[in-house]
Amino acid sequence: MTDEETVTGSGRGGGIGSGWSATKRRWARWRDRLRDRPRAEFGYRIVVAVVGLAVLGLGIVAIPYPGPGWAIVFIGLGILATEFEWARRWLAYARERYDTFMDWFGRQAKFVQILGGLLTALIVAVTLWLLGALDWSGELVGIEHPWLNSPIGVGD
């Protein structure tokens, strides 16, 4: 192994993160070659936009539910940020606002935190009701009440 390989971690066994660094360099070279082909780059940007917006949309829908809603939003913005400057700005802004809100929420009294949990549970219950899941699960255990039926006719 040469001195340069030792310093940069590009030799065999290369150290922690060297595989990731090599992958990033290969990706950067591929993107540079793609920029030399405007039509291919335009197609690539369209694919990134479609995939990024789909992931972002899924994340936005998932935000009020328990689980990784915000993580999915950040992943969608991250995908878009690989190609679009506006997405980089939105990602930075969203992360800042999320961190600020979660810090504020963590400092609140237990009553406020419990109220936030109850509001989340209410949103989940209403969604399950609208999608007919309450009626379906009630029927599984032999409970059939008309008020469990979805008002929009889903799941009947």
Side-chain angles (χ1 to χ4, degrees):
M1 184 181 304
T2 67
D3 288 336
E4 181 183 341
E5 289 173 334
T6 303
V7 170
T8 62
S10 61
R12 253 183 118 118
I16 297 173
S18 64
W20 179 246
S21 296
T23 301
K24 285 175 28 178
R25 284 191 303 273
R26 280 193 303 272
W27 182 261
R29 284 192 305 269
W30 182 81
R31 283 297 291 129
D32 289 340
R33 286 192 308 269
L34 193 60
R35 284 186 189 95
D36 294 336
R37 301 171 51 212
R39 282 192 174 146
E41 184 185 25
F42 182 70
Y44 174 77
R45 287 174 61 98
I46 288 174
V47 169
V48 168
V50 168
V51 171
L53 288 172
V55 173
L56 178 63
L58 178 65
I60 289 171
V61 168
I63 285 172
Y65 305 104
W70 277 107
I72 297 169
V73 167
F74 292 135
I75 290 169
L77 282 173
I79 291 169
L80 291 167
T82 63
E83 291 300 315
F84 304 104
E85 181 59 35
W86 59 266
R88 285 186 203 100
R89 289 191 305 269
W90 280 17
L91 179 59
Y93 178 77
R95 288 181 63 190
E96 176 191 334
R97 299 306 304 161
Y98 175 81
D99 289 342
T100 301
F101 176 78
M102 292 311 291
D103 289 343
W104 172 84
F105 192 71
R107 291 189 310 267
Q108 299 308 302
K110 288 294 179 201
F111 172 76
V112 174
Q113 293 177 2
I114 290 170
L115 194 60
L118 290 173
L119 180 61
T120 299
L122 178 65
I123 290 170
V124 170
V126 168
T127 303
L128 292 174
W129 175 58
L130 289 171
L131 295 176
L134 289 183
D135 181 43
W136 176 78
S137 56
E139 289 172 358
L140 284 177
V141 294
I143 300 172
E144 295 190 27
H145 292 290
W147 58 268
L148 287 174
N149 294 332
S150 170
I152 58 176
V154 177
D156 286 335

